[in-house]
Amino acid sequence: MKLKYFAWVAEIIEKREEEIELPDHVKTIDDLMNWLSDKNDGYRIAFNDKKKIKYAINQTLSKEYDSISRNDEVAFFPPMTGG
Amino acid sequence: MKLKYFAWVAEIIEKREEEIELPDHVKTIDDLMNWLSDKNDGYRIAFNDKKKIKYAINQTLSKEYDSISRNDEVAFFPPMTGG
Amino acid sequence: MHIEVKEDDFIIENEIVAIENIKDPDAAISIFVGKVRKEKKLIKLFIDCYPEMAENEIQKIVQNASNRWKLNQVRIIHRYGSLDPGENIVLVITTSDHRGDCYSANQFIMDFLKSEAAFWKKEIFLDKTKWVEQKVTDISTMKDWQED
Amino acid sequence: MHIEVKEDDFIIENEIVAIENIKDPDAAISIFVGKVRKEKKLIKLFIDCYPEMAENEIQKIVQNASNRWKLNQVRIIHRYGSLDPGENIVLVITTSDHRGDCYSANQFIMDFLKSEAAFWKKEIFLDKTKWVEQKVTDISTMKDWQED
């Protein structure tokens, strides 16, 4: 599964993207954040405050308990500030 | 006194501007329109429908009974359609 | 405030440069361009104008807009004379720190320009000519602002 | 509809020409340009971007605007990367037969671009760097449209 990170999320995780092997028990965005948070402090800090983070599945803004699968591209980022 | 005409008013009167000697009894815009209307058909037709004509004294939109004097510049024109 | 009533065309980019030569660039710029409508059989648009009066009135309109919104720069060009379909007629540029102000002020200025500035349009078609009449909707749009 | 998410700068005049190469000039053109604020000690603005997602979202925003107003052409450019104070960030051009439509649609598009398109701004000052936070007012401005 392809993961992408933007803005301060990318800075804290120190990656802009990565490929992961999705474990069978990781079924939602929320599962994915918990699983990644166990890996190291970067993820844990990035995903700590759920109000400050947003996520997209295949370039579409998604919700915490939306299902994910191996072929999805999941992205994590703060609220948008364009324009 | 300097008179100016614009748009279809100028076309009907067949002048864009003229200098006139203001008679003593002509004291308001309304007097002026009546006095000019007596001169010829052009003025009479132009000033006939008071709803279709507007006037300015010294480049300021004015009212029918506003006073005028020899040194004023008076203009007659239809409602504006700029922009 | 910069107001021009003239026959010559304008180039938007040059007008923005002119604004920014006076003052540092602002964060929000709203621009309106009005053009001669491309219409079947329309050959020319002739715009008559009372330039001294038009400039006075536009100044008052801009003054009123500046009293209502926080504006940094206002630049207005209104052309007159004989124009081809597709040619520029009017340019209104408003700049501010926040986009809401420059959008509202721009629209306010255009609404008043339509009915309060000394310009008159004549459409020259293949088979007739016609002085454009003031639209009831233009008057009501303008009055809407006064009820705010 | 033409949407570009890119690093390069734009020239307004060229974008209008591009629109008019597709279709005859329209009578009313509303343009918004957003620039990097000139601010004390601000050295650069860095804009991060998820281009595929940004383009998708802008398409949806334009689609919503087209459902609400009668628009002829919409052209949007949003830049990303490292920008100097005073540089262009965003361009929104909306054209229509009547000015009310293109003004409202333009403002609607900008309001949604601010909070729904995948861009993130980082301000680089002389003495610190700071990711810009989403403004409460930007969210409420956007929600105002939904209550219409």
Side-chain angles (χ1 to χ4, degrees):
Chain A
M1 163 177 270
K2 191 174 207 172
L3 300 183
K4 293 197 166 200
Y5 310 104
F6 296 94
W8 59 255
V9 178
E11 290 181 341
I12 290 176
I13 293 174
E14 296 181 314
K15 286 176 193 161
R16 289 192 60 85
E17 58 178 79
E18 64 183 317
E19 285 284 344
I20 56 152
E21 279 295 324
L22 191 68
D24 287 339
H25 73 278
V26 175
K27 297 188 187 309
T28 67
I29 295 270
D30 187 57
D31 292 342
L32 180 58
M33 288 194 288
N34 289 332
W35 179 69
L36 288 167
S37 295
D38 285 342
K39 284 190 160 189
N40 73 41
D41 275 3
Y43 297 107
R44 207 173 38 75
I45 295 166
F47 301 144
N48 183 45
D49 186 349
K50 300 240 165 117
K51 281 182 198 141
K52 289 197 174 162
I53 195 129
K54 286 178 168 266
Y55 10 84
I57 304 172
N58 302 325
Q59 296 95 46
T60 300
L61 211 59
S62 303
K63 296 205 160 58
E64 209 169 340
Y65 298 106
D66 283 350
S67 303
I68 52 175
S69 67
R70 265 164 236 285
N71 296 321
D72 291 336
E73 175 176 296
V74 174
F76 295 94
F77 42 79
M80 288 87 150
T81 55
Chain B
M1 164 178 268
K2 191 174 207 171
L3 300 184
K4 292 197 167 201
Y5 310 104
F6 296 95
W8 57 256
V9 178
E11 289 182 341
I12 290 176
I13 294 175
E14 295 181 313
K15 285 176 192 162
R16 287 190 61 84
E17 59 178 79
E18 63 182 319
E19 285 285 344
I20 56 152
E21 278 296 324
L22 191 67
D24 285 340
H25 72 278
V26 176
K27 297 188 186 309
T28 66
I29 294 269
D30 188 57
D31 293 343
L32 180 58
M33 287 194 289
N34 290 332
W35 179 70
L36 288 167
S37 294
D38 286 342
K39 285 192 163 189
N40 74 39
D41 274 3
Y43 297 108
R44 207 172 39 74
I45 296 166
F47 300 145
N48 182 44
D49 185 348
K50 299 240 164 115
K51 278 179 198 144
K52 289 196 174 164
I53 196 128
K54 287 179 169 262
Y55 9 84
I57 304 173
N58 301 325
Q59 295 97 45
T60 301
L61 210 60
S62 303
K63 296 204 162 59
E64 210 169 339
Y65 298 107
D66 282 351
S67 306
I68 51 174
S69 65
R70 265 165 235 285
N71 296 320
D72 290 336
E73 175 176 296
V74 174
F76 295 94
F77 42 80
M80 288 87 150
T81 55
Chain C
M1 183 192 330
H2 176 93
I3 295 163
E4 274 179 274
V5 173
K6 62 175 185 179
E7 295 202 58
D8 305 342
D9 199 5
F10 52 78
I11 295 168
I12 304 170
E13 225 77 38
N14 294 355
E15 301 305 321
I16 293 180
V17 169
I19 287 175
E20 298 185 347
N21 281 340
I22 300 168
K23 196 186 152 286
D24 277 347
D26 292 309
I29 305 174
S30 174
I31 303 163
F32 182 84
V33 180
K35 296 199 169 200
V36 181
R37 207 177 294 275
K38 281 239 177 187
E39 212 174 305
K40 224 181 142 186
K41 294 189 183 172
L42 182 69
I43 297 174
K44 287 274 183 188
L45 183 76
F46 173 73
I47 304 182
D48 196 3
C49 170
Y50 186 4
E52 306 89 325
M53 186 172 173
E55 283 174 22
N56 283 350
E57 285 158 333
I58 299 173
Q59 272 186 25
K60 281 181 218 158
I61 296 167
V62 173
Q63 199 53 59
N64 288 340
S66 302
N67 291 341
R68 292 175 73 130
W69 294 283
K70 217 183 153 307
L71 296 176
N72 292 332
Q73 301 281 322
V74 179
R75 195 169 185 96
I76 298 175
I77 298 174
H78 199 305
R79 299 178 68 194
Y80 62 89
S82 184
L83 305 178
D84 291 328
E87 268 197 85
N88 293 325
I89 300 172
V90 60
L91 173 72
V92 176
I93 305 179
T94 49
T95 79
S96 61
D97 294 340
H98 304 285
R99 70 189 183 287
D101 290 312
C102 64
Y103 270 119
S104 300
N106 201 299
Q107 195 162 4
F108 175 94
I109 289 168
M110 273 305 302
D111 285 351
F112 280 83
L113 265 185
K114 279 265 162 187
S115 327
E116 297 223 327
F119 298 95
W120 300 272
K121 286 178 182 159
K122 183 188 196 174
E123 294 172 327
I124 296 147
F125 294 95
L126 246 176
D127 50 355
K128 63 179 177 188
T129 70
K130 187 174 164 295
W131 286 98
V132 174
E133 286 189 37
Q134 205 174 49
K135 285 187 203 148
V136 179
T137 51
D138 281 338
I139 297 296
S140 62
T141 307
M142 196 179 67
K143 286 196 174 149
D144 284 346
W145 289 107
Q146 291 156 350
E147 283 156 18
D148 275 12
Chain D
M1 181 191 335
H2 177 94
I3 296 163
E4 275 179 274
V5 173
K6 63 176 186 179
E7 294 201 57
D8 306 342
D9 199 3
F10 51 80
I11 294 169
I12 304 171
E13 225 77 39
N14 294 354
E15 301 305 322
I16 292 180
V17 169
I19 287 175
E20 298 184 348
N21 282 340
I22 299 169
K23 199 187 149 286
D24 277 347
D26 292 309
I29 306 173
S30 173
I31 304 163
F32 182 84
V33 180
K35 295 200 168 199
V36 182
R37 208 179 292 274
K38 281 240 175 184
E39 210 175 305
K40 223 180 143 188
K41 293 190 183 171
L42 182 68
I43 296 174
K44 288 272 182 189
L45 183 75
F46 173 75
I47 304 182
D48 197 1
C49 170
Y50 186 4
E52 306 88 326
M53 187 173 173
E55 283 173 22
N56 283 351
E57 286 159 332
I58 298 174
Q59 273 187 24
K60 281 182 217 159
I61 295 168
V62 173
Q63 200 52 61
N64 289 340
S66 303
N67 292 341
R68 293 175 73 129
W69 296 282
K70 217 184 154 308
L71 297 176
N72 292 332
Q73 300 282 320
V74 179
R75 196 169 184 95
I76 298 175
I77 298 174
H78 199 305
R79 299 178 67 196
Y80 62 89
S82 184
L83 305 178
D84 292 328
E87 268 198 85
N88 292 326
I89 300 172
V90 62
L91 173 71
V92 177
I93 304 180
T94 49
T95 79
S96 61
D97 294 340
H98 303 285
R99 69 188 185 288
D101 290 312
C102 65
Y103 270 119
S104 299
N106 201 298
Q107 195 162 6
F108 175 94
I109 290 168
M110 273 305 302
D111 285 350
F112 281 81
L113 266 185
K114 280 266 162 187
S115 326
E116 297 223 325
F119 297 96
W120 300 273
K121 288 178 180 158
K122 184 188 195 173
E123 294 172 326
I124 296 147
F125 294 95
L126 245 175
D127 49 355
K128 63 180 176 188
T129 71
K130 186 174 164 295
W131 286 97
V132 174
E133 285 189 38
Q134 205 174 48
K135 284 186 204 152
V136 179
T137 52
D138 282 337
I139 296 297
S140 62
T141 307
M142 195 178 68
K143 287 197 173 147
D144 284 347
W145 290 107
Q146 290 155 351
E147 284 156 16
D148 276 9

